[in-house]
Amino acid sequence: MPFSEYLGDEILDWVLGTDMDTAPSNIYVALWNGNPTADGSGGTELTSTITGAATRTEVTSLGAISTSGNYRQTTTGSATQITASASGAATANYITLWDASTAGNLLYFESTTSTDIAAGAEVNLDAGNLTVRSKIA
């Protein structure tokens, strides 16, 4: 999963000691149609289409960071899930993480298997099934 430009800049600022921003108080997940791109300007957010509301789902817990192959990763805990009856048809092919429930800054994004969602279909991102990872060499 690539970091966004915003998060990449924040990490570099921290490493270089030029800016030490506070970590986000909450992280939110959203499904996306099309590549959101590193600056968050691409594709289309599907939150209101899928949930009928404009607010993203909060990632309420993350597991301990571990190593898997060439990745450092963590997995969402039991309380993080999206369960909704889609208010409209959509195709989801990216998962994104944000620092706010609406607007805010894109932190992280990754493509996923493209899934067509029919209006009225049940949409589930089951707890424990979202892994956040970064490549380590």
Side-chain angles (χ1 to χ4, degrees):
M1 219 181 227
F3 293 134
S4 68
E5 287 178 9
Y6 169 81
L7 185 56
D9 289 350
E10 293 299 306
I11 291 168
L12 285 175
D13 284 345
W14 177 78
V15 168
L16 298 173
T18 59
D19 190 12
M20 305 294 258
D21 279 352
T22 304
S25 56
N26 296 300
I27 304 293
Y28 299 87
V29 63
L31 297 176
W32 217 261
N33 175 265
N35 187 341
T37 68
D39 67 1
S41 67
T44 303
E45 183 170 1
L46 301 176
T47 300
S48 61
T49 302
I50 291 173
T51 66
T55 56
R56 301 174 185 122
T57 299
E58 184 178 348
V59 175
T60 53
S61 63
L62 292 168
I65 296 174
S66 63
T67 300
S68 178
N70 290 336
Y71 292 93
R72 294 290 287 159
Q73 66 185 35
T74 183
T75 302
T76 57
S78 59
T80 301
Q81 61 187 87
I82 299 171
T83 302
S85 180
S87 60
T91 299
N93 49 23
Y94 276 83
I95 293 177
T96 61
L97 296 180
W98 296 80
D99 65 1
S101 62
T102 60
N105 297 296
L106 174 64
L107 301 173
Y108 204 69
F109 62 104
E110 185 167 341
S111 63
T112 186
T113 302
S114 185
T115 304
D116 291 326
I117 303 165
E122 187 169 308
V123 177
N124 293 300
L125 172 61
D126 294 331
N129 284 337
L130 175 62
T131 299
V132 178
R133 63 186 184 159
S134 63
K135 194 164 186 172
I136 54 171

